[in-house]
Amino acid sequence: MRTFRRSRIRPVAAAAVTLALGCTALAALPSTAGAAAAGGLVVQYRTSASGATADQSEPWLKVRNTGSTGVPLSGVKVRYYFKADSVSAGYRFACSWAVRGCANITGTFGTPPHPTATADRYLEIAFTAGAGSLAPGADTGDMQLRFHRSDWQPLGQSDDYSFGAERSTYGDWPRVTAQVGGVTVWGEAPGGGGPTDPTDPTDPPTDPPADGPTLFDDFDYSGHADPRIAANGWSVRSNSGGPGVPGAVWAPENVTFSSQSGNSVMNLETSTAGTGASTEQTEILTKSVKFRDGTYAARVKFSDAPRSGPDGDHLVQTFFTINDLKAPMADDYAEYDFEYLPNGGWGEPAAILYTTSWETYRPDPWEAVNQHSEARRSYAGWHDLVVTVDGSAITYYVDGAHFGTHGAAYLPERPMSINFNQWLIDLAGQSSTTPRSYDQQVDYVLHVKDRVLSPAQVSALVSGYRAAGTTFRDTVPAP
C-alpha cells in the first residue's frame, strides 16, 4: 500500500452540465454481421494444472477454423470464465509458450454482464495482427496460458465455470467462448448466451451495451478561453492550492490545443525555474461531480524529457477521478489515479507508473488508506488508459493489458469529477535555476455510466464517434 505524503487539496464544484446530443455516432461502430458469417470457430481446451487448488490456473487453448473462409485472429476474442477467490482478489496473466508467439497474445480480466455462482470474472484472450489469420481447417496450435493471483496465494479451481479437471488432452470445450467482431460464435457463456445471429433482433447481447449515458470529448477547442470548454462542463484551473510546490500557480493559458494526425489534442504544459514562484502547473477538470460506476478511458501522451531546459524534476502526469474529502479519514472519499512519474519521486529513483484506488486519508499527521499497482519503467509516448468500476472491484488497463485490480473496499460511495493535471511534487529532483517545461498531451476522454467495457470496446466506441464526426457528447445525468 502506497502511503507517501502529498497535498490532497483539489477544487471540486457541483454545477451540472447535461447535453443530449443523440446517438448518431453508434451507427459507425463496426458491423458484426460479416464477422458472424465467417463463423465456424471451435475452441479446444486442456489443463496442465488439474488440482482443485493450484498456484496458478493453466488453461491451454487452441482455436480451430471449421468454416469455409479465413478468419483474421485480430478480430477473435476467447473467454475463460472463473469464480474469483474473493471480491478483492486480483489476477495476472502470462503466456508460457504459443505456436503463434506469446508476443501476439494478450490476456485481460473482466466481469461478465451476468455473474453466476461459478463465474464472476473472465480471462479474455485476444490477438495482435502479428498472429495472422486462420485458414479454413487450420488452428492456432498450442497456446500454453496461465494466470495466478496477484498475491500468489493458492487459487481455487473446482468451482470455476470453464475449468475441467479431467481435460488432460485437447478436446472441444463449449465452456470457453469465442467471439468474432463482438458476436459469440462458439460456446455457452455462464448464465446463457451461446452463439448469436446478429440478424435476429431477439438474440440477447453477449456484452454490456456501449450506449449507456456517456461523456465523450475529443478536445476540439481553439484555446483555454474557448467558451465551449465551460459550456461543455470543463473548468481550466486558475485558483491556488495543492497539490504541488508551495508558491506555484495554476496557469490556464498553458492549456493549449492543436491538430495532430487529424485529431485535436490538448496539451498541459508545466514549467519551473527551480523556485516555487517560478513554477506554473496545469489542470483541467469537470465542473460537475456526477461520475461514479462504469468505464473511464483516455488516450494520454506521457513525456520523460522536458520540451526545453534541464531534465530531472519530480513531475507527476495524471488522469484521475476524485471527490472532496469532507473530513480527515472520511469513509465516503474516493479517488482513482493513473500517475506517471518520469523522474521518480515519493522515494522512487526513476520512472514509475502508479494506479491507485483511494478509500480515505488524513493530511496531518499523514495517514492513507489505498491500494495501488505499479510498473517501474518508462511510459514515454501515447498510451490508452482504461479504468472500470463495476460494483465489485476497480480494474485498470494500460494499452489493452491488465495493469491492476483493486478490491471492493475502495469502491466509491459518492460521485466524482474527471481530471487531468501535471504538477511538481517538489524541487529536489533538479536544483538548476534554468527554465524548463514539460508537456502532457490528451487525445480524448470517455466515460460510459454503469457499463463495464473492455479496452477493445472503448476503442471501437471512440472510433465510431470520430467516424460520425462527433467531437463532444454528454448524456450523463446529474446525481
Side-chain angles (χ1 to χ4, degrees), residues 31 100 269 324 443 466:
S31 169
R100 301 272 173 155
E269 178 187 346
D324 58 325
D443 187 12
R466 286 179 164 168

Side-chain angles (χ1 to χ4, degrees), residues 75-230:
V76 175
K77 303 244 191 283
V78 176
R79 287 185 177 179
Y80 178 95
Y81 299 88
F82 64 98
K83 176 72 173 177
D85 296 278
S86 69
V87 294
S88 62
Y91 295 86
R92 296 196 180 276
F93 165 79
C95 173
S96 297
W97 185 80
V99 171
R100 301 272 173 155
C102 282
N104 295 316
I105 297 172
T106 64
T108 58
F109 295 92
T111 302
H114 307 292
T116 69
T118 60
D120 57 12
R121 304 278 182 92
Y122 59 76
L123 168 63
E124 182 173 273
I125 303 303
F127 303 88
T128 69
S133 298
L134 281 182
D139 65 47
T140 58
D142 271 347
M143 295 186 289
Q144 298 180 8
L145 312 177
R146 55 190 170 90
F147 65 92
H148 60 84
R149 287 184 52 161
S150 299
D151 57 8
W152 278 107
Q153 293 297 307
L155 53 78
Q157 299 190 104
S158 59
D159 59 350
D160 290 351
Y161 177 85
S162 295
F163 176 66
E166 75 286 359
R167 308 293 297 196
S168 59
T169 59
Y170 278 112
D172 296 356
W173 194 241
R175 287 180 174 265
V176 176
T177 63
Q179 296 179 349
V180 180
V183 175
T184 300
V185 297
W186 168 261
E188 184 78 16
T196 54
D197 176 1
T199 64
D200 182 354
T202 65
D203 285 334
T206 58
D207 288 299
D211 191 22
T214 300
L215 168 70
F216 171 73
D217 201 327
D218 213 18
F219 294 115
D220 184 14
Y221 302 109
S222 61
H224 76 279
D226 189 326
R228 293 177 300 156
I229 293 178

